[in-house]
Amino acid sequence: MDVREKKHFSPAFHISNFRTALNGFQKLVEQTAAQKRDEKAGLFFPKEEVIDYDKFYASVLELFGPEVKNQDVKCFYRKLCNKPDASMDWCEIFGYFSSQDDALASHMDEENLVFLVSRKQRIVISGSRRRDVIKCIVKIPQLDILITASQKGLITVFNSQMRVQNSTNITDTSWITGCDYLSQQKRIVATTERTIIVWDYKAQGSSQENYYVIKPMDHCLLCVCVASLPDQLCRDDILLGDDGGFVNRFTVNSDDFGLKQAKIKKKLQTQVLDSKNFKSVKRKLHNDWVMKIRYIPALNCFGSCSLDSIHSLVLESLKRLEDNLPVREFAMPRGANTFCYCIKANVIVTGGDDKVLRLWHPNISTKPVGKLVGHMFSITEMVTNEKDQHLISLSSAKVFRVWDIQTLSLLQVFHDSQGGPGDMQIYSMIYDTNHGMLIAGSSVIDMYPLTRMIQDTKQVPHTHDREINVILYNKYFHQVLTICSESIIKVWELETGLQIYQILDPHGFSIEVTSAAVDESGFFFATGAYNGTVKIWDFGSGQEMKVLPEGKDWKEEEHWVKRLIFLKTQEKSQYLILALELSGTIKMIQGKEDDIFLMVIWELPDPIPHLRDGNRIMHLKTLSKDRNVTIPFPDVELVVQRKLSQHTKNPAVNIEVSCMDLLQTEEYNLIVTGTFNGMIILWNFLASTVKEVYRPENCFTLDPDLDPKRFRINDILFLFRTPECARKSSQDSVCSSSQCESNKGLQSSKGSKQSIHDGEFKVSEQTDMLREHPPVDTKHPGVSSLTAQPPLLVTAHEDGHLRLWTMEGRLLKDMLPFTKHSAISLTSLYTDSCSRVLLAGNMEGHVILCSIGSFLDPPHDEKKFRQLLSWRAHSLEIVQLVYVEDKQVVLTASIDGSIRLWHALNGHYCGYFGQRRFFELSQSNDFILPCDVTEAPIEIKEESKLADKKKKYEYPLIFDRERWKKMSSMSLLFKRTPPKAFEVEQDFKFFKSLSSPKIHRHALEGFMTENREAGIVFGSLPIYRVPSPTSLRFLPLIGSEAQKELPDGTSGKKKGVHVQHEKGSRRRSLKRNLVPQINLASSFFPVMPK
């Protein structure tokens, strides 16, 4: 052995490495703690030097590897940030001090188990014979059908709803031992002790007894499987195991069962075929009964197990059946009753009478790589759940055990307690991946559903007891904060969905919390209540830090806080919050580090009365006030040039501010507001102006016949892309095409599928991507060609429209999003950090996803703003939604009290916060919907591409007489050899004589009408006349008695109608000739050349 290998396997070497990692971890903790202490002291660090959670977690992974858990590192980092001077133990990074009581209780809870045994479904097979049992169960995932075969001859096909689709009774004296599906023949194969049964379950008529019996067989058949090779067409290989230890390969072709029903009398439904007429090979591989045989496409080989202790399992390719070369053999005490293969783990699991599950590597047959011990009786069946990496094993005592293949741990044990030991022995078991269900067959069919399938599809999603008011996402800690109208704050882990902590009555007993915001660092969050109080909390621990108390003279709901936004500050020791109240007042709240209480330091004046009086733009006057700290927005007042008119106030019209957004960068310092009557007001503090961007007509007049809320703006956003976002490559963008897949369950409005980002980054649209990522000027490296474009505004209206505006008030796009029911009020908007994706939620629970990446670039082409996807997320109104860029998931909050998680790429459901199982954020093929949603996602195809494609028409084939004459019929009459038994006469002379019509296609493809009386369709259809032959007229013509001559004055050709003429032929009416004129003489008596 090499010296380095000895060092690698030495325990002392591992201890030395761990000590080195501990020293590096201690230095990392000291460096992070020192930086956090300096930040609390007011020192500023560049963004590149700040040790945030992502950098800290990456460093810990580099030191200790993947053994550390994300949740434990987060708890440690949160404690380090809150208390940098506290003592830290390295054991905490591995979760050593975490309590396991809750986890154990949750693990023992039935709702958290793998299979929900209490929801077991049972199907009794009707028509089965007395004391009959299900001997074999086969699932066909491609067709989503289930095939069962009973011991006494009943073969049943179930559809996806587990309803009987077809069945047949095999009238054979022998018992059925197994069944499978012939994928090429589209038939079902079953084996009895001495015969092979092939049943065409799709045949029309009396198909219940329409099957073929192949016999005789040399030995008693015990098991069967089908090896479907990809390079084989119209041919299937059937693998058989018998009681002599032989493995047989039986080959069947489509010609063996082709059109025999047409050649044999119908009363002979059951047809017996001689097994000697089929190609078959066999080889003795075991010294005992072959208990199970399976073909493994991933390994391109088959496997067979036996009770033989020496040749217990054989794993080899199909070619070894034709020779006597050595094969791969796995030996185990007392043999193997069953085996299965896990693709992801690349292990073969065997089980037998010794009650031990052994895990083998396919290429290592000398020693198993792992063992699972726990069964008290012989192991009879096992299956795998590839998605969850679970192994389900069954013993003869009807005890099921669920194992984790990766960790080799036991997850669940349950027992089928119904019936006696001998009455209901379980003979077969499969796992249905399509429906997440374990199916076992005895005298009945028992179906055990996965717990997550029941929770996702049967249980109503429940996060809070009351309707949701606020949902926030902390991108630094990857956590979600939710608040309900009952004033309960909950913080959740995004990756798992686990609840971290909750705060009851944060603003006092029965005081509703109405708004919240997270600061830029992610360490703090603020909440606002309906009584006007505002509080700042520590996000990591949930401790209250500062409070804005309620004023003495405040009236109830007068200072209702609707929106909170943290402002960027230059000083670390203070907090600045922008608040919007229900009355429309916008104010700034300041919190200093030394003060416990918050204070209002700034308030915006109300410009609406002056703007409605005719002033579209008003100037602002900056007030000079002595302040200890600098604030981003100065104290201002309106510069009024004229007094208000007497009729400026109409109390019936609501002119209060309904929504607000903020844009605070180096180039812009803006606040935009939307009002109940549809006005958009923009505050520009750098230009010292307040401007009316948009005002609907008659927004200040009250019409009793119209809805007063028709102009209301429910949400407003800035769409702004920084130069850093423009420099990002398409690989780092939100619309990464590598993760775009169209999964099943997606319904396209145009009849085809397309993923969200395929339309954004296709080859034909590379110009759009170049506009989105222009190249940098190489001649002037100091000057970038990418400059920040002016921001745009997007508004969500009560009338269901989505509108985009420039800063000057020019309407760029007015779109009514496509949903199942149009013109639904939009309630919420959200965009990503680079403004490439826009999401909107409406009153009926729909989520609308739009692509705006190319639209933001001048000249703002309207066609580049496209709706990509729409899906129903809730049955009630969506309050807020959040898009998580790095995970590409959408969070939706509704008044139904649930927070739900969706895949942004296709609108597929992931789960809800508050469920017992963990989230699975990876892209999955499972398409499930919550129980209160029945609509599948709808994908919107791009109309411009469809409109540019030229329509092409396919014309039907017609009979070509010239081609028919060139073919000699003498071979059909005199030179035909007699067919063999069950051979199909494949003479397709008529079909070979078909050809495309020789017509002018401009009439059908054009837009000009050819025959205005008949119309564009019927006036453009070609009409053909079949001429009479010039010889052999002694045979009667079919339909000749139905023909009548036309009057001489009738025209034989009209405009737009193509007629083929022949010399000497008479004009006949095609409208009256209902039977076509066909001469059969040339078919049977061709013209013989002289």
Side-chain angles (χ1 to χ4, degrees):
M1 184 181 291
D2 193 7
V3 178
R4 288 178 293 180
E5 294 182 359
K6 291 182 180 179
K7 186 177 180 181
H8 177 72
F9 289 103
S10 174
F13 178 72
H14 285 292
I15 295 175
S16 176
N17 279 350
F18 188 73
R19 288 176 178 174
T20 305
L22 283 180
N23 294 333
F25 178 71
Q26 186 67 27
K27 294 179 181 178
L28 176 64
V29 171
E30 293 175 356
Q31 184 181 0
T32 307
Q35 190 178 94
K36 299 306 174 185
R37 284 193 295 266
D38 294 340
E39 287 182 356
K40 288 195 172 185
L43 296 180
F44 176 76
F45 289 91
K47 190 175 182 180
E48 296 79 10
E49 300 179 4
V50 174
I51 304 177
D52 55 4
Y53 172 72
D54 294 332
K55 295 181 180 179
F56 186 82
Y57 181 62
S59 302
V60 172
L61 283 182
E62 186 178 355
L63 291 172
F64 297 106
E67 288 81 7
V68 293
K69 297 182 180 179
N70 189 14
Q71 181 65 28
D72 297 332
V73 179
K74 281 186 180 180
C75 295
F76 188 90
Y77 181 75
R78 200 180 299 122
K79 179 180 177 181
L80 186 63
C81 295
N82 295 331
K83 299 178 181 179
D85 298 326
S87 60
M88 300 290 176
D89 193 349
W90 62 267
C91 297
E92 298 181 25
I93 205 70
F94 296 96
Y96 182 76
F97 291 109
S98 60
S99 176
Q100 300 295 332
D101 296 338
D102 296 338
L104 182 61
S106 176
H107 179 75
M108 297 304 295
D109 190 357
E110 183 189 16
E111 298 293 328
N112 199 37
L113 296 177
V114 180
F115 291 99
L116 199 57
V117 184
S118 60
R119 294 294 187 96
K120 178 182 72 173
Q121 303 176 19
R122 172 162 292 184
I123 296 178
V124 179
I125 301 179
S126 60
S128 61
R129 303 175 184 178
R130 186 183 178 187
R131 308 283 298 181
D132 200 1
V133 293
I134 303 297
K135 193 65 177 177
C136 183
I137 302 177
V138 178
K139 177 68 179 182
I140 313 301
Q142 298 83 2
L143 304 177
D144 202 6
I145 61 173
L146 187 76
I147 303 171
T148 63
S150 69
Q151 192 176 50
K152 295 185 178 181
L154 179 63
I155 302 178
T156 310
V157 180
F158 294 88
N159 59 12
S160 58
Q161 285 78 31
M162 289 303 294
R163 296 177 181 176
V164 177
Q165 182 175 331
N166 206 346
S167 64
T168 185
N169 271 300
I170 305 299
T171 56
D172 198 307
T173 57
S174 302
W175 285 354
I176 284 186
T177 57
C179 68
D180 207 343
Y181 181 74
L182 300 173
S183 60
Q184 297 293 333
Q185 313 296 325
K186 303 296 186 294
R187 287 173 169 84
I188 295 173
V189 59
T191 55
T192 65
E193 295 176 352
R194 292 294 180 181
T195 61
I196 300 176
I197 309 296
V198 179
W199 175 41
D200 187 3
Y201 73 102
K202 287 187 176 182
Q204 300 294 329
S206 58
S207 62
Q208 294 186 356
E209 296 182 359
N210 189 4
Y211 57 85
Y212 302 89
V213 179
I214 304 174
K215 62 180 184 180
M217 295 294 162
D218 297 335
H219 294 83
C220 178
L221 303 180
L222 300 179
C223 52
V224 61
C225 78
V226 176
S228 298
L229 303 178
D231 56 345
Q232 291 183 355
L233 295 177
C234 303
R235 189 183 75 179
D236 286 296
D237 287 334
I238 304 174
L239 300 180
L240 307 167
D242 55 33
D243 59 352
F246 288 90
V247 174
N248 303 264
R249 180 182 179 182
F250 215 82
T251 303
V252 292
N253 299 311
S254 60
D255 296 340
D256 300 329
F257 316 104
L259 300 177
K260 296 175 185 177
Q261 291 87 345
K263 302 298 179 181
I264 301 177
K265 295 181 180 180
K266 293 185 177 180
K267 59 182 179 181
L268 297 177
Q269 297 293 342
T270 302
Q271 303 168 29
V272 180
L273 305 180
D274 190 358
S275 61
K276 297 180 180 179
N277 295 333
F278 294 86
K279 179 183 178 182
S280 64
V281 294
K282 67 177 182 179
R283 180 178 177 181
K284 186 177 179 61
L285 298 177
H286 305 277
N287 294 328
D288 209 328
W289 290 4
V290 180
M291 302 300 296
K292 183 79 66 176
I293 186 168
R294 286 176 178 169
Y295 182 74
I296 307 173
L299 300 178
N300 195 19
C301 65
F302 76 94
S304 62
C305 64
S306 172
L307 299 178
D308 186 1
S309 300
I310 300 175
H311 315 285
S312 303
L313 175 68
V314 173
L315 195 68
E316 199 51 81
S317 64
L318 295 175
K319 296 180 180 179
R320 297 285 78 81
L321 296 176
E322 303 174 2
D323 51 37
N324 292 321
L325 296 178
V327 295
R328 276 180 291 174
E329 296 178 340
F330 301 78
M332 59 204 72
R334 304 179 66 180
N337 290 329
T338 181
F339 70 98
C340 64
Y341 174 68
C342 181
I343 299 177
K344 291 183 180 179
N346 193 24
V347 294
I348 294 177
V349 189
T350 60
D353 294 338
D354 63 345
K355 313 162 193 175
V356 178
L357 292 170
R358 291 176 173 85
L359 283 74
W360 306 81
H361 191 277
N363 298 324
I364 303 176
S365 60
T366 56
K367 185 179 181 181
V369 296
K371 293 183 180 181
L372 299 175
V373 181
H375 279 288
M376 304 298 294
F377 296 87
S378 298
I379 299 170
T380 57
E381 270 289 352
M382 65 177 68
V383 292
T384 58
N385 178 0
E386 285 288 346
K387 178 182 178 183
D388 300 325
Q389 289 293 280
H390 292 167
L391 172 69
I392 304 100
S393 58
L394 171 67
S395 68
S396 58
K398 299 187 293 185
V399 176
F400 298 84
R401 287 180 177 264
V402 184
W403 314 81
D404 191 322
I405 300 179
Q406 299 294 337
T407 61
L408 303 183
S409 59
L410 181 63
L411 302 178
Q412 184 182 3
V413 180
F414 59 96
H415 176 237
D416 184 5
S417 58
Q418 298 184 5
D423 295 339
M424 300 179 62
Q425 182 179 351
I426 300 175
Y427 291 91
S428 57
M429 179 178 66
I430 63 151
Y431 176 75
D432 187 356
T433 307
N434 295 351
H435 304 279
M437 193 171 294
L438 181 69
I439 303 177
S442 55
S443 60
V444 294
I445 299 177
D446 290 328
M447 299 181 293
Y448 301 91
L450 283 176
T451 303
R452 62 179 176 85
M453 299 298 293
I454 296 296
Q455 291 175 348
D456 292 344
T457 58
K458 303 297 182 183
Q459 298 180 356
V460 179
H462 177 80
T463 307
H464 288 265
D465 294 334
R466 304 291 181 183
E467 62 184 39
I468 307 297
N469 285 347
V470 181
I471 176 174
L472 296 174
Y473 176 63
N474 190 333
K475 61 182 179 180
Y476 295 99
F477 286 141
H478 307 291
Q479 295 173 353
V480 179
L481 183 141
T482 61
I483 305 175
C484 67
S485 59
E486 202 176 11
S487 296
I488 298 178
I489 300 176
K490 294 183 179 182
V491 178
W492 312 82
E493 194 75 32
L494 177 64
E495 287 89 350
T496 59
L498 295 176
Q499 180 180 330
I500 300 175
Y501 64 85
Q502 69 176 11
I503 305 173
L504 302 176
D505 297 325
H507 284 250
F509 180 71
S510 71
I511 298 178
E512 182 179 357
V513 179
T514 57
S515 61
V518 179
D519 75 326
E520 188 181 11
S521 65
F523 291 110
F524 310 101
F525 71 95
T527 57
Y530 84 98
N531 61 352
T533 57
V534 178
K535 292 186 178 182
I536 296 180
W537 308 78
D538 182 87
F539 201 101
S541 61
Q543 296 179 353
E544 179 183 333
M545 301 177 60
K546 302 182 185 299
V547 60
L548 176 67
E550 184 179 359
K552 295 181 180 180
D553 301 333
W554 289 1
K555 298 180 181 180
E556 186 177 3
E557 298 185 1
E558 180 184 6
H559 297 275
W560 182 308
V561 182
K562 293 188 62 177
R563 180 76 188 275
L564 292 176
I565 302 176
F566 270 95
L567 300 177
K568 297 179 182 179
T569 58
Q570 298 178 355
E571 301 179 7
K572 293 286 185 179
S573 59
Q574 70 166 349
Y575 310 100
L576 293 177
I577 303 173
L578 199 66
L580 170 64
E581 296 180 349
L582 183 64
S583 60
T585 304
I586 301 175
K587 58 186 180 182
M588 187 186 298
I589 302 173
Q590 181 187 20
K592 297 182 180 179
E593 187 177 11
D594 300 333
D595 297 338
I596 301 177
F597 297 101
L598 301 172
M599 57 186 306
V600 179
I601 62 172
W602 173 87
E603 187 173 317
L604 272 182
D606 186 10
I608 297 181
H610 302 278
L611 294 175
R612 66 179 294 183
D613 201 33
N615 300 323
R616 192 172 183 274
I617 299 178
M618 297 187 64
H619 293 277
L620 301 175
K621 180 181 178 182
T622 304
L623 302 179
S624 58
K625 290 187 178 181
D626 297 334
R627 298 188 183 276
N628 298 328
V629 294
T630 58
I631 58 177
F633 301 106
D635 295 279
V636 294
E637 65 177 11
L638 299 175
V639 178
V640 181
Q641 297 180 357
R642 59 177 178 177
K643 296 182 179 181
L644 296 176
S645 60
Q646 298 296 328
H647 305 284
T648 55
K649 200 165 187 179
N650 187 358
V653 179
N654 192 351
I655 60 175
E656 296 174 351
V657 176
S658 59
C659 51
M660 173 187 68
D661 196 24
L662 169 72
L663 181 60
Q664 189 180 5
T665 62
E666 296 179 358
E667 300 88 2
Y668 301 99
N669 207 1
L670 307 172
I671 295 177
V672 65
T673 59
T675 64
F676 282 88
N677 63 338
M679 296 180 62
I680 302 175
I681 302 171
L682 180 66
W683 298 79
N684 191 337
F685 292 92
L686 296 181
S688 299
T689 58
V690 55
K691 180 173 60 174
E692 175 190 295
V693 177
Y694 171 71
R695 178 199 294 185
E697 296 183 2
N698 303 323
C699 65
F700 289 103
T701 59
L702 183 63
D703 191 344
D705 298 332
L706 298 177
D707 186 7
K709 297 181 181 179
R710 65 188 185 279
F711 296 127
R712 177 176 175 175
I713 300 176
N714 292 325
D715 203 358
I716 191 168
L717 277 182
F718 279 108
L719 298 179
F720 179 70
R721 184 180 300 163
T722 60
E724 289 78 9
C725 288
R727 295 189 192 99
K728 285 184 179 180
S729 63
S730 59
Q731 297 178 355
D732 299 331
S733 68
V734 147
C735 303
S736 175
S737 60
S738 62
Q739 301 183 9
C740 297
E741 295 178 1
S742 292
N743 296 328
K744 62 180 179 180
L746 200 62
Q747 293 182 351
S748 173
S749 61
K750 301 295 180 181
S752 59
K753 296 182 179 180
Q754 174 190 7
S755 71
I756 290 179
H757 310 299
D758 284 345
E760 182 75 13
F761 291 99
K762 290 204 174 205
V763 179
S764 60
E765 297 182 1
Q766 287 185 355
T767 55
D768 298 341
M769 190 177 68
L770 291 176
R771 291 178 184 174
E772 190 168 340
H773 307 286
V776 181
D777 190 359
T778 56
K779 295 182 180 180
H780 306 282
V783 180
S784 175
S785 61
L786 298 173
T787 59
Q789 301 295 334
L792 303 180
L793 298 173
V794 56
T795 52
H797 294 259
E798 185 73 17
D799 59 1
H801 284 256
L802 196 67
R803 297 182 174 96
L804 285 93
W805 315 80
T806 62
M807 303 288 290
E808 293 76 22
R810 181 168 62 93
L811 181 62
L812 297 176
K813 178 73 175 179
D814 187 354
M815 185 188 75
L816 185 64
F818 177 81
T819 55
K820 186 174 182 180
H821 306 286
S822 59
I824 305 172
S825 300
L826 301 178
T827 57
S828 178
L829 295 173
Y830 197 89
T831 185
D832 59 317
S833 59
C834 291
S835 297
R836 300 185 185 183
V837 173
L838 178 65
L839 291 106
N842 63 16
M843 290 284 292
E844 293 190 2
H846 292 93
V847 177
I848 298 100
L849 188 143
C850 302
S851 171
I852 59 174
S854 303
F855 175 79
L856 292 187
D857 298 328
H860 307 300
D861 188 2
E862 186 177 354
K863 295 181 180 180
K864 294 180 180 179
F865 185 96
R866 298 190 298 106
Q867 179 183 346
L868 301 178
L869 200 61
S870 172
W871 72 89
R872 186 78 176 267
H874 300 263
S875 59
L876 299 177
E877 173 188 349
I878 291 180
V879 179
Q880 276 184 296
L881 44 81
V882 174
Y883 176 58
V884 183
E885 301 179 45
D886 53 345
K887 304 294 182 181
Q888 291 195 351
V889 294
V890 178
L891 311 177
T892 58
S894 173
I895 61 175
D896 60 9
S898 65
I899 308 290
R900 306 184 186 184
L901 203 66
W902 307 82
H903 285 294
L905 300 176
N906 48 26
H908 284 193
Y909 180 58
C910 299
Y912 64 93
F913 287 97
Q915 67 184 21
R916 296 182 181 271
R917 69 175 180 89
F918 290 169
F919 284 150
E920 296 178 4
L921 301 184
S922 59
Q923 197 70 22
S924 173
N925 292 329
D926 293 343
F927 176 71
I928 56 177
L929 290 173
C931 63
D932 57 345
V933 175
T934 58
E935 302 174 17
I938 299 175
E939 188 175 10
I940 313 301
K941 297 291 288 185
E942 191 175 4
E943 296 181 359
S944 60
K945 290 185 178 180
L946 297 177
D948 294 340
K949 292 182 179 179
K950 185 179 179 180
K951 294 184 179 180
K952 296 182 179 179
Y953 298 91
E954 295 294 335
Y955 299 96
L957 298 177
I958 64 170
F959 181 75
D960 190 348
R961 178 165 296 277
E962 299 298 329
R963 182 178 294 185
W964 174 277
K965 290 180 179 180
K966 292 179 181 179
M967 297 183 183
S968 174
S969 300
M970 299 302 294
S971 60
L972 298 178
L973 297 176
F974 305 107
K975 297 183 179 180
R976 181 180 293 122
T977 57
K980 296 181 181 179
F982 305 110
E983 185 180 27
V984 181
E985 298 180 5
Q986 298 180 351
D987 180 70
F988 304 113
K989 179 182 176 183
F990 173 77
F991 298 100
K992 295 178 181 179
S993 301
L994 299 179
S995 62
S996 300
K998 302 177 178 58
I999 61 173
H1000 301 288
R1001 302 192 177 190
H1002 68 275
L1004 188 58
E1005 296 183 355
F1007 292 94
M1008 298 180 63
T1009 58
E1010 293 294 317
N1011 187 350
R1012 296 190 179 183
E1013 295 180 0
I1016 181 63
V1017 177
F1018 296 101
S1020 302
L1021 293 178
I1023 299 178
Y1024 310 100
R1025 182 187 301 276
V1026 180
S1028 300
T1030 57
S1031 61
L1032 299 177
R1033 295 182 179 272
F1034 54 88
L1035 285 179
L1037 299 178
I1038 298 177
S1040 59
E1041 61 273 9
Q1043 300 176 3
K1044 295 182 181 179
E1045 294 186 4
L1046 285 173
D1048 296 336
T1050 306
S1051 175
K1053 183 178 180 182
K1054 295 182 180 180
K1055 183 180 181 182
V1057 180
H1058 307 283
V1059 182
Q1060 295 179 358
H1061 294 277
E1062 184 179 356
K1063 294 181 180 181
S1065 63
R1066 293 171 296 180
R1067 298 178 179 176
R1068 300 183 183 274
S1069 174
L1070 293 177
K1071 297 182 180 179
R1072 299 179 182 178
N1073 188 10
L1074 302 179
V1075 182
Q1077 179 182 345
I1078 304 175
N1079 193 330
L1080 301 179
S1082 61
S1083 303
F1084 297 96
F1085 300 96
V1087 180
M1088 302 298 295
K1090 294 181 181 180

